[in-house]
Amino acid sequence: MDSPTTPLISRRDALIVGAATAAAVSSSAPAMATQAAPSASASAIPRAKLTLNVNGQAHSLDLDTRTTLLDALREHLHLGGTKKGCDHGQCGACTVIADGRRINACLSLAVMHDGGQITTIEGLGTPQNMHPLQAAFVKHDGYQCGYCTPGQICSAVAVLDEIKRGVPSHVSADLTVRPLLSADELRERMSGNICRCGAYSNIVDAITEVAGNRT
């Protein structure tokens, strides 16, 4: 019984067919991309106009609504003092004071602060006219590498204000009286600001000195 015969194709013909197929696919790609373009533009990234009052100066911005306050300060207003550390709200390097409260700027969207008052390290003092806490950090070597220092100082300014207003912490023994300015109170309140250099004792000394001068 004769076996069925299989049509044969030469290697040359196979290469010609492959090249022709590839050319057909590549020529259709621009048309497909053109068809997809309208749908991409239809889902344009939403933007918002807002005003941030930073260190006493108003700034009008037009931002992607997903922009964090941290990126607005650093990338759009070019205030590099506020540092991007973990970008997850765990290290405190990005701490700023927003409407009197210290916050992690990396966890807050800029649009949430439209019309708000923001204070960064640049707004506390200058090398020629330092804030008392900045001077105390220098005196007590509370900065070391310096990366976490802007967040530490902004947080410390807010801590002293919290204690002055009688805001309790987790270690406050009596919630009905003004918290004591103790090392335990300061360590608890500053626990959200991480210092990889381990300058914690020096930081407490710097804050204690400034607090003592204010009482």
Side-chain angles (χ1 to χ4, degrees), residues 126-141:
T126 66
Q128 295 74 28
N129 184 25
M130 290 192 290
H131 186 280
L133 272 166
Q134 291 174 314
F137 266 65
V138 172
K139 176 181 176 180
H140 292 277
D141 194 22

Side-chain angles (χ1 to χ4, degrees), residues 72 83 124 136 154:
K83 297 296 186 283
L124 291 179
C154 284

Side-chain angles (χ1 to χ4, degrees), residues 51-83:
T51 299
L52 292 180
N53 298 295
V54 184
N55 301 326
Q57 183 176 355
H59 299 272
S60 297
L61 299 171
D62 183 356
L63 300 176
D64 178 338
T65 55
R66 299 168 297 179
T67 305
T68 64
L69 178 59
L70 173 60
D71 286 339
L73 293 171
R74 290 181 57 83
E75 307 301 329
H76 296 270
L77 299 183
H78 308 294
L79 295 171
T82 304
K83 297 296 186 283

Side-chain angles (χ1 to χ4, degrees), residues 144-167:
Q144 294 198 23
C145 85
Y147 194 84
C148 74
T149 306
Q152 296 274 5
I153 292 177
C154 284
S155 191
V157 169
V159 161
L160 294 183
D161 182 60
E162 289 169 5
I163 293 176
K164 180 180 179 181
R165 291 187 287 113
V167 178

Side-chain angles (χ1 to χ4, degrees), residues 41-54:
S41 61
S43 59
I45 297 172
R47 302 182 68 83
K49 296 182 183 296
L50 65 147
T51 299
L52 292 180
N53 298 295
V54 184

Side-chain angles (χ1 to χ4, degrees), residues 8-24:
L8 298 178
I9 183 172
S10 68
R11 180 173 179 275
R12 180 173 179 276
D13 290 339
L15 293 174
I16 292 174
V17 171
T21 302

Side-chain angles (χ1 to χ4, degrees), residues 166-190:
V167 178
S169 76
H170 288 294
V171 299
S172 300
D174 189 343
L175 302 183
T176 63
V177 299
R178 179 177 172 179
L180 297 175
L181 184 66
S182 64
D184 287 342
E185 280 283 356
L186 293 180
R187 291 181 183 277
E188 167 62 25
R189 293 171 188 270
M190 293 292 295

